[in-house]
Amino acid sequence: MGKMIYLDNAATTKTAPEVVQAMLPYFSEYYGNPSSIYDFAGKSKEAITKGREQIAEVLGAKKEEIYFTAGGSESDNWALKATFEAYKAKGNHIITTKIEHHAILHTCEYLEKRGAKITYVDVDEDGIVKLDELEKAITPETILISVMFANNEIGSIQPIKEIGRIAKEHGVLFHTDAVQAFCQVPINVDECNIDMLSSSGHKINGPKGIGFLYIRKGVKIRSFVHGGAQERKRRAGTENVPGIVGYGAAAARANASMKERTDKEIAIRDHL
Ligand SMILES: *Cc1c(COP(=O)(O)O)cnc(C)c1O
């Protein structure tokens, strides 16, 4: 095989060598279960805290608002299904768009079969969600607006700040699938009134099978995976310590190089 030029970085990215290096000791040297009580396990626990801090920093979030999952799909499923369940008393209506990732669209189909009412808002010729249509769709039964930050196929970046403002004005929760935006464009969860945000490690030169859901303090959604008391009792399962270490390292790396990378990618795109 000749030299390969890989251009499918929206599907997945190569794990950065320094990310792999950061992860390695947590497979073979510091393999303790973070929930164990002896000193050796403390190393794993510290590593999780560091990863959580590295990620929270990128979003202007508190580290306690970051919940590690097994990837973007799980985070999207959790946000939608758990909101539907937790806010049933208020209503059953969710607003999303026609251009979401399957992790959102197929979850919406699943919820429709269980009594949810879903509005799929259209986008304009540039792939930008129609804000007037979105605002008009809100009813007293609306519990959630879920709009992706950046599209994985056409790259359109949505007016997230505006959507966050609309959601807040109407007292509706706002979730964004930011898998293609985290560490690619600046995001501040407070400025954008984001209540929940999904992300995934392998789209930013981190490992596969690790993601997180940012959940703003006060949002009442419950656990989606039941079992142990990990992740503040909201996501059971022994933590993916090497994955979290790699994710944190990848986020710090990608966030620091955001402008430089973007300028380079724009230049390559324009040239092509
Ligand atoms: C890749 C992707 C996902 C799924 O993430 P996984 O970690 O692969 O489950 C969800 N949403 C968008 C926009 C994506 O690009």
Side-chain angles (χ1 to χ4, degrees):
M1 198 172 89
K3 188 174 174 176
M4 181 184 71
I5 298 174
Y6 182 81
L7 292 173
D8 199 15
N9 288 289
T12 196
T13 57
K14 175 179 172 174
T15 312
E18 60 266 45
V19 169
V20 175
Q21 282 308 315
M23 292 171 72
L24 286 177
Y26 294 91
F27 286 105
S28 45
E29 223 172 306
Y30 308 123
Y31 52 83
N33 187 321
S35 298
S36 300
I37 53 170
Y38 34 81
D39 284 352
F40 176 58
K43 278 276 187 199
S44 308
K45 211 172 163 179
E46 281 164 27
I48 293 174
T49 302
K50 184 176 172 200
R52 207 185 302 282
E53 284 168 352
Q54 285 171 314
I55 282 167
E57 172 155 355
V58 177
L59 297 171
K62 299 180 193 73
K63 70 176 192 306
E64 300 78 23
E65 295 173 316
I66 303 297
Y67 296 85
F68 289 111
T69 66
S73 300
E74 184 189 320
S75 300
D76 284 346
N77 270 262
W78 185 13
L80 266 59
K81 291 176 183 170
T83 301
F84 178 66
E85 199 165 84
Y87 291 84
K88 256 187 190 146
K90 187 192 171 202
N92 64 347
H93 183 224
I94 294 171
I95 301 172
T96 187
T97 79
K98 291 183 179 170
I99 62 161
E100 298 297 310
H101 188 273
H102 279 164
I104 295 289
L105 291 177
H106 290 168
T107 303
C108 285
E109 281 170 27
Y110 170 90
L111 289 176
E112 275 177 316
K113 291 196 190 105
R114 279 154 188 81
K117 216 177 143 267
I118 316 272
T119 301
Y120 300 89
V121 176
D122 221 340
V123 295
D124 67 15
E125 61 275 17
D126 293 320
I128 303 295
V129 63
K130 294 181 174 166
L131 288 179
D132 51 338
E133 219 177 272
L134 181 134
E135 189 159 17
K136 268 189 225 139
I138 298 173
T139 75
E141 276 75 49
T142 310
I143 51 171
L144 178 71
I145 295 173
S146 179
V147 176
M148 72 194 325
F149 209 118
N151 186 269
N152 47 300
E153 291 185 15
I154 57 173
S156 53
I157 299 170
Q158 301 302 331
I160 291 299
K161 218 178 199 169
E162 285 302 294
I163 299 168
R165 187 185 53 73
I166 292 171
K168 196 175 181 184
E169 270 173 25
H170 292 268
V172 174
L173 290 175
F174 176 36
H175 165 257
T176 182
D177 174 341
V179 173
Q180 296 290 346
F182 179 70
C183 292
Q184 310 288 3
V185 292
I187 304 175
N188 182 293
V189 286
D190 288 339
E191 279 171 20
C192 297
N193 287 312
I194 294 166
D195 294 303
M196 288 171 275
L197 178 148
S198 306
S199 167
S200 175
H202 73 99
K203 306 286 173 84
I204 58 160
N205 304 102
K208 293 171 179 63
I210 182 79
F212 71 81
L213 182 65
Y214 158 81
I215 309 174
R216 178 178 294 283
K217 191 166 180 271
V219 173
K220 286 186 307 208
I221 72 167
R222 296 264 170 81
S223 187
F224 180 60
V225 178
H226 300 98
Q230 293 89 354
E231 299 296 284
R232 297 159 58 86
K233 297 191 183 155
R234 260 178 159 167
R235 203 283 188 179
T238 301
E239 298 88 338
N240 177 354
V241 182
I244 291 168
V245 168
Y247 199 3
R253 175 185 177 275
N255 195 42
S257 65
M258 193 189 296
K259 167 112 180 51
E260 180 193 317
R261 275 183 304 115
T262 308
D263 289 350
K264 189 174 160 206
E265 284 158 11
I266 289 172
I268 293 171
R269 181 197 65 189
D270 291 350
H271 181 72
L272 287 172

